Amino acid sequence: MSGADGVVLVDKTAGMTSHDVVACVRRLAGTRKVGHAGTLDPMATGLLLLGVNRATRLLTYLVGLDKTYRATVRLGQGTVTDDAEGEVTSAPGVRDVEEQALHDAVAGLTGAIEQVPSAVSAIKVDGRRSYARVRAGEEVELAARPVTVHAFEVLATRPATAADGTAVLDVDVEVVCSSGTYVRALARDLGAALGSAGHLTALRRTRVGAFDVAEAASLEAMADGVPMLDTSDVARRVLAARELTEAETAEVRYGRGLAPSGRDGVVAAFAPDGHVVALLTDRGDRARPVLVLDPA
């Protein structure tokens, strides 16, 4: 399988880092050339997209796709990591949260917002990861970033008592958001908006762009073979398509330009037999290859 190319959809289990998953797929696929299109925290489960061999060159176009998550937010406690893996730093608790107040707070975190990422994150501050600075005892304040929360829906609420006796409210939610959105930061900010604190106790990624977790397989299920989506299938799902003639296909395979596609952004160019040959973008009066996947 070491020569196979494609995108692997993994249903990650809790407790593994994204790097752990990449290492497992490298071993199972028999190749070192494996990369991922966006990480999942160790406590999170769900869809992780991996590129194998030449398909790693497509990962750039998968990283920025919108994502859907199912999550549980615990209102009444805050943690250093904004999720259940960190120590509790505040426990104001919650008694009664009116349904309207909860929905108003969720609405305030929906749409185009400025979000301060979780301090325990992989964002670099003066060359060092933010999480490394926090674990070294430093105070880290990250700048707010523009993100878009397309949908933030409350699915259910459950009063509960935390291990330390704090009265809390567990809120099951579904979030559809742009790439770069921290769902655990949403949990933190939801608690703050309600005059309390909040953190994430469960997170599952169910969708990345046009890819659904229902299509994914667990690493255990890959023991007898790693299922891969063909690069042509992936390109059709992610990018606008341009169908080429045989003559245009030959030109593109040599890295030459074509008549403009007339579309904004990157376009996937397909040979008459249906396989993806290159990715093109209009520059002036020509469509130029930005990536040739099937060179002459």
Side-chain angles (χ1 to χ4, degrees):
M1 185 176 289
S2 60
D5 306 303
V7 171
V8 182
L9 308 186
V10 179
D11 187 349
K12 187 183 92 66
T13 57
M16 299 187 76
T17 67
S18 298
H19 181 74
D20 292 337
V21 176
V22 168
C24 286
V25 172
R26 281 175 175 161
R27 176 176 55 80
L28 293 168
T31 178
R32 293 291 303 167
K33 200 165 185 182
V34 178
H36 61 70
T39 61
L40 277 175
D41 290 338
M43 71 163 271
T45 68
L47 185 58
L48 194 63
L49 304 186
L50 305 184
V52 177
N53 291 324
R54 285 188 298 178
T56 55
R57 302 167 79 187
L58 286 177
L59 294 179
T60 298
Y61 305 94
L62 306 181
V63 170
L65 298 174
D66 288 350
K67 299 169 176 67
T68 300
Y69 297 91
R70 289 287 183 102
T72 300
V73 177
R74 173 156 287 187
L75 298 175
Q77 285 183 323
T79 72
V80 68
T81 56
D82 298 327
D83 63 23
E85 297 203 315
E87 64 180 277
V88 174
T89 54
S90 63
V94 292
R95 291 292 176 185
D96 298 305
V97 176
E98 293 184 1
E99 184 176 343
Q100 189 59 52
L102 177 58
H103 283 273
D104 287 348
V106 165
L109 293 168
T110 305
I113 63 173
E114 293 285 325
Q115 183 185 71
V116 177
S118 298
V120 181
S121 68
I123 294 171
K124 286 189 175 181
V125 179
D126 295 332
R128 287 181 64 206
R129 301 288 185 187
S130 179
Y131 63 73
R133 290 182 175 275
V134 171
R135 289 168 184 164
E138 296 181 34
E139 290 284 334
V140 175
E141 290 188 15
L142 298 176
R145 297 178 165 199
V147 299
T148 302
V149 179
H150 301 290
F152 193 172
E153 181 183 358
V154 175
L155 305 177
T157 60
R158 296 181 305 281
T161 303
D164 64 358
T166 301
V168 296
L169 182 69
D170 288 337
V171 183
D172 296 331
V173 300
E174 183 171 76
V175 176
V176 182
C177 56
S178 63
S179 180
T181 304
Y182 284 83
V183 181
R184 51 198 168 105
L186 288 177
R188 174 201 67 204
D189 294 343
L190 182 60
L194 291 164
S196 184
H199 71 281
L200 211 60
T201 61
L203 181 67
R204 180 166 177 78
R205 187 155 70 195
T206 59
R207 183 189 62 85
V208 176
F211 307 96
D212 194 276
V213 72
E215 303 175 78
S218 66
L219 289 173
E220 291 75 14
M222 295 182 189
D224 296 325
V226 179
M228 296 184 197
L229 293 177
D230 180 78
T231 53
S232 297
D233 178 24
V234 172
R236 281 198 185 275
R237 291 205 206 185
V238 174
L239 298 168
R242 176 171 173 174
E243 307 299 333
L244 304 181
T245 65
E246 290 286 4
E248 288 173 328
T249 299
E251 289 294 290
V252 168
R253 291 182 68 201
Y254 280 104
R256 299 173 185 143
L258 303 175
S261 301
R263 293 174 177 169
D264 293 332
V266 175
V267 172
F270 293 87
D273 66 3
H275 81 274
V276 64
V277 179
L279 305 185
L280 310 175
T281 188
D282 284 359
R283 293 176 186 161
D285 62 351
R286 302 291 283 170
R288 304 285 182 185
V290 293
L291 175 61
V292 179
L293 293 161
D294 182 21

